[in-house]
Amino acid sequence: MKLKVFFIFTVFSLGLILQIHAQSCRDLYREAKSLEKQGKLEKAKTKYQQVISCGDKLYYDDSKERVNWIDRILRKPNLVKPFAISENEVIIPYQGGQDVITVDGNGNWQAEIVGGEKEWCTIKKGKGKIYILSKANESNIDRTCIVSVSMNGKSKEIQVRNEKAPEILIPSVENITFPYNGETNTVEIHANTDWEVKNVPEWVKSNKEEDKITFTALANENNAERKAEIKIQGTSKTVIINIYQGAGLDHLAFSKNDLHFGPDGGDEYINIYTDAEEWRLGDFPHWCQVSKVADNLLRVHCTPNEPINLNREASVNVTTGKQMLGINVTQEAKPFVAIIPTSGIGGKAVSFGFHAGYLFPMISTSSGGNFTGSLVNYANGTSLEEASYTTSSSFAVGGYADIRVYKNLYLTVGLDFTHYKYKNDYQANDIRNVMVGSNTYYGKGKIQDNYQEDYTFNTLEIPIIASYRFPVTKISHIQLNIGPVINIGLSAKMKFSGTSDGEKLDAYEMDRFGMTDHLLEEIELYPHHIQASGSMNLYDNKVSYTETYVEHNYATVEKSQEFEAAPFKRFNLGARLGVAYEYSGISIGVDYNFICTNMANKRYWEGERWTVFDYSNNNLMSGYKQYNHYLQIKIGYTFRY
């Protein structure tokens, strides 16, 4: 038992020693390589010699070659000896590289390439050294040249051989997938040897050119995939290109491709012709009931058309999994007379009423430039100036006359007063030029802007609405309303307030051409703190406002501007669409009122607009449009009965 334990321990220890020894050789070899790359050849040579002493076969041969190479590099020419060269033959591996020959002797010497191809081999002359450099050899044939060295009328030759590369045969792709209907693909072949194409299947046509192959797959008429392995065979090496092609489509056809039903619906039967293993139903409309009644028989049941006076069209789809075809289904509409009630809604032929509603304004703006700004020109000219409007409480009240035109068709003419508000908040941090009351310098620095614009509109609207009534009972009905609206502006006002703050402004020089980038360090400017407030009648082309300078001098300046035109037009044309339910004269409904004409005056919005704090006015807009739409929920009463 003790002997067995001793044997196991001895084997384990020996294996551990060998493993440590191999690890040590590998580390020495890595250190030698690193020193060689750093140009520390003497130290690298010592490490390689230690690797050789290890006796590890994995690193022995290469280390020995590296030592010989370092010896040739470090060997100094002997100027006393007669003319001689250190090596008569140089072998460079196919990857290319460099070798060194030492020239002994006292005298001037020359070296040149005298035999063989010269484009892959070059030489450099150093102090007693000839450096021979070779490019990588991609061919599978050795190549040679002769370097002639001469001194004092004598010459010697160095045979240089660049070993051949191993056989190269590499396709650009190893797998090609073709669609079922076929196509052409090209494969490039990187090779340094002759090669040929073999095992090409009959459903693939190949065309070999100098360094590429063109494969053309024919259409796959079968509903099964197919594949093949094509060989590219060189002198001693063969590579495989895998060819795949998808399955062809299943054959699918119907005994009828179009079904036509009358307004009362009905049944139709269709035979399915296919070579697929199975087929199934795809999409079909809700007004059709489709079922599979036999292996290759389909039943389509069409329900009666509801009285909406519209033809119905759809498709019943059948799929095999690989393709899908549809059967067109159409159904005639019921006659229009079916939706016209035979009796009116009752009540007076001409009635009067009133209503009140809550508005949800929707402000729609657009322009043809990089941004769509507001009424105020903030001189940014970027998306920072993009207006974003939010709305608040709004309402409408009005009265109307309700006139029966024919049976359940009515004309409603009214007069409505609307009141609505919205606002825009502007905040920006930017570097801005500020005029400081001097024609010799100006201020520039980071300024924080915070402004609020509050808009209030009061308008008078004249709706002229066509209304059709669907009776529910003798005293209740549903209304469908649509018609134009004349919009007249009574008043429109914008209140403006905000601040402009900049703690640190630097002074820059101004010359006769304007602002420069020359900093005037000797001038110290006050911090920039200004408050502004004002209001504007949006149907007028003038505005007055106040700027208050709150830093150091606390001065108030009254300012005004005059424009080419007012911001908005008083008269606009719109349209209204709505529905309502009325019971015994009491109604509740929803209207959508949208403006059809552009409310904005071009000459104002594409001009300078209202500008505060003497900001630059170079950010003009173009193509500005504004439409103030709204959604209204209203209740009313009609003196109908």
Side-chain angles (χ1 to χ4, degrees):
M1 181 66 182
K2 292 181 179 180
L3 183 61
K4 184 177 180 181
V5 172
F6 175 76
F7 176 75
I8 294 173
F9 176 76
T10 302
V11 172
F12 175 77
S13 300
L14 182 60
L16 184 60
I17 291 170
L18 290 175
Q19 184 177 358
I20 294 172
H21 179 73
Q23 177 72 23
S24 175
C25 285
R26 183 177 63 188
D27 292 342
L28 287 170
Y29 182 80
R30 289 178 176 174
E31 291 177 15
K33 279 285 188 181
S34 177
L35 291 168
E36 182 183 325
K37 289 180 180 179
Q38 298 173 29
K40 301 176 181 178
L41 298 182
E42 289 284 1
K43 293 183 178 181
K45 177 181 175 181
T46 301
K47 292 292 183 182
Y48 281 127
Q49 288 172 336
Q50 293 174 2
V51 174
I52 294 171
S53 299
C54 288
D56 191 321
K57 293 182 178 180
L58 184 61
Y59 306 105
Y60 180 86
D61 291 338
D62 186 64
S63 297
K64 197 169 183 180
E65 289 182 5
R66 302 314 295 174
V67 168
N68 292 335
W69 182 79
I70 292 173
D71 284 341
R72 292 201 300 276
I73 294 293
L74 297 178
R75 183 180 181 278
K76 296 181 179 180
N78 190 328
L79 303 179
V80 179
K81 291 177 61 178
F83 172 49
I85 55 177
S86 59
E87 302 288 338
N88 294 318
E89 183 181 13
V90 171
I91 300 175
I92 300 177
Y94 77 91
Q95 296 95 334
Q98 172 183 293
D99 213 327
V100 179
I101 302 297
T102 304
V103 181
D104 296 327
N106 186 13
N108 293 326
W109 56 273
Q110 300 294 327
E112 62 177 339
I113 300 173
V114 297
E117 299 178 356
K118 298 181 181 180
E119 67 272 5
W120 60 269
C121 182
T122 57
I123 59 174
K124 291 183 180 179
K125 182 180 176 182
K127 294 181 179 180
K129 301 282 187 178
I130 302 173
Y131 298 92
I132 302 174
L133 297 90
S134 171
K135 297 180 180 179
N137 187 3
E138 295 185 355
S139 72
N140 62 345
I141 301 174
D142 288 349
R143 54 189 182 184
T144 61
C145 70
I146 297 173
V147 177
S148 176
V149 186
S150 60
M151 179 188 291
N152 301 328
K154 296 181 180 181
S155 64
K156 297 183 181 295
E157 291 184 347
I158 304 167
Q159 299 287 334
V160 180
R161 178 162 61 92
N162 186 198
E163 295 179 328
K164 66 181 180 180
E167 184 174 353
I168 299 173
L169 188 61
I170 304 172
S172 58
V173 295
E174 295 181 354
N175 299 284
I176 304 176
T177 300
F178 292 100
Y180 77 92
N181 56 346
E183 68 176 10
T184 298
N185 279 292
T186 300
V187 178
E188 296 181 354
I189 304 296
H190 178 55
N192 61 358
T193 183
D194 293 333
W195 52 272
E196 57 182 341
V197 185
K198 291 188 174 183
N199 294 2
V200 180
E202 60 181 10
W203 49 275
V204 175
K205 303 297 182 183
S206 67
N207 181 33
K208 177 186 174 184
E209 299 181 23
E210 183 177 353
D211 57 355
K212 61 184 178 181
I213 316 167
T214 300
F215 294 109
T216 301
L218 305 178
N220 188 357
E221 299 294 339
N222 302 317
N223 58 358
E225 297 179 354
R226 54 188 180 186
K227 59 184 179 178
E229 291 185 352
I230 296 178
K231 292 183 178 180
I232 310 300
Q233 186 169 312
T235 303
S236 60
K237 188 175 182 180
T238 301
V239 294
I240 301 296
I241 298 178
N242 297 303
I243 305 290
Y244 303 92
Q245 186 175 27
L249 296 177
D250 298 319
H251 297 92
L252 180 62
F254 308 126
S255 58
K256 297 179 182 178
N257 292 312
D258 296 282
L259 301 181
H260 302 281
F261 292 95
D264 297 326
D267 292 327
E268 287 281 356
Y269 291 86
I270 301 168
N271 289 314
I272 309 297
Y273 306 112
T274 181
D275 58 1
E277 293 183 1
E278 63 177 14
W279 57 272
R280 61 183 182 275
L281 293 172
D283 297 331
F284 54 86
H286 67 89
W287 43 274
C288 285
Q289 297 171 1
V290 185
S291 57
K292 186 176 181 181
V293 295
D295 288 342
N296 290 301
L297 188 62
L298 194 69
R299 182 176 72 92
V300 179
H301 172 73
C302 181
T303 60
N305 196 349
E306 297 297 329
I308 58 174
N309 197 43
L310 291 176
N311 293 327
R312 298 199 283 200
E313 296 183 4
S315 176
V316 173
N317 295 322
V318 175
T319 178
T320 63
K322 294 180 180 176
Q323 70 165 320
M324 178 184 291
L325 288 179
I327 303 166
N328 297 318
V329 182
T330 59
Q331 186 178 23
E332 297 176 10
K334 285 197 173 182
F336 183 75
V337 294
I339 69 168
I340 301 178
T342 57
S343 60
I345 64 170
K348 302 174 184 177
V350 178
S351 305
F352 296 92
F354 63 90
H355 65 82
Y358 188 85
L359 304 186
F360 299 90
M362 288 169 277
I363 312 303
S364 173
T365 63
S366 65
S367 69
N370 297 327
F371 70 98
T372 301
S374 71
L375 190 79
V376 181
N377 182 351
Y378 293 108
N380 258 310
T382 67
S383 59
L384 290 175
E385 199 169 333
E386 190 77 21
S388 178
Y389 296 111
T390 57
T391 60
S392 59
S393 58
S394 306
F395 66 88
V397 293
Y400 53 87
D402 198 38
I403 306 166
R404 188 196 305 270
V405 177
Y406 176 75
K407 292 188 177 179
N408 293 338
L409 180 63
Y410 283 70
L411 181 67
T412 303
V413 180
L415 185 65
D416 299 339
F417 172 80
T418 63
H419 171 84
Y420 60 91
K421 296 181 179 181
Y422 60 92
K423 68 176 182 177
N424 176 48
D425 292 321
Y426 172 78
Q427 295 181 346
N429 295 312
D430 58 358
I431 302 298
R432 194 182 293 278
N433 298 331
V434 180
M435 302 307 297
V436 293
S438 171
N439 58 0
T440 60
Y441 63 90
Y442 70 96
K444 181 166 67 174
K446 190 169 185 179
I447 295 176
Q448 181 179 20
D449 292 329
N450 290 277
Y451 305 110
Q452 180 170 312
E453 307 162 6
D454 293 292
Y455 297 82
T456 303
F457 278 78
N458 294 312
T459 65
L460 199 64
E461 293 184 340
I462 303 174
I464 305 171
I465 305 299
S467 177
Y468 190 83
R469 314 294 166 84
F470 299 90
V472 178
T473 66
K474 291 183 178 180
I475 59 171
S476 64
H477 62 268
I478 297 173
Q479 302 177 5
L480 179 62
N481 306 317
I482 187 171
V485 177
I486 299 172
N487 184 287
I488 304 170
L490 298 178
S491 65
K493 187 175 183 180
M494 192 272 270
K495 290 184 178 180
F496 174 82
S497 62
T499 61
S500 181
D501 298 298
E503 291 294 333
K504 179 66 172 66
L505 296 181
D506 294 319
Y508 290 82
E509 185 179 3
M510 293 183 66
D511 58 19
R512 60 193 181 94
F513 298 106
M515 299 178 181
T516 72
D517 292 329
H518 180 222
L519 178 65
L520 302 177
E521 297 182 354
E522 67 275 9
I523 299 178
E524 182 177 355
L525 298 181
Y526 292 132
H528 178 85
H529 294 292
I530 307 177
Q531 297 176 350
S533 63
S535 63
M536 182 178 184
N537 179 359
L538 304 183
Y539 297 134
D540 193 3
N541 65 339
K542 298 178 182 179
V543 62
S544 299
Y545 61 99
T546 300
E547 291 182 6
T548 302
Y549 298 82
V550 298
E551 189 71 25
H552 294 285
N553 55 358
Y554 203 91
T556 298
V557 179
E558 299 293 336
K559 291 190 174 185
S560 64
Q561 283 181 256
E562 185 170 344
F563 312 102
E564 291 186 42
F568 293 108
K569 304 170 185 175
R570 282 187 183 272
F571 298 93
N572 293 280
L573 183 64
R576 182 175 296 177
L577 175 66
V579 294
Y581 173 73
E582 180 182 314
Y583 178 81
S584 191
I586 302 172
S587 62
I588 182 169
V590 177
D591 289 338
Y592 181 67
N593 200 91
F594 55 95
I595 297 297
C596 301
T597 56
N598 184 9
M599 298 173 59
N601 271 318
K602 177 179 179 180
R603 287 184 297 165
Y604 175 85
W605 290 92
E606 297 186 10
E608 294 182 352
R609 293 179 285 145
W610 181 1
T611 308
V612 293
F613 303 149
D614 298 322
Y615 286 166
S616 173
N617 300 329
N618 59 355
N619 61 327
L620 305 180
M621 289 192 297
S622 63
Y624 182 82
K625 296 179 181 180
Q626 180 163 336
Y627 305 93
N628 293 356
H629 313 308
Y630 64 79
L631 184 70
Q632 177 182 198
I633 299 176
K634 64 180 182 180
I635 58 174
Y637 184 78
T638 305
F639 299 92
R640 191 180 307 282
Y641 302 101

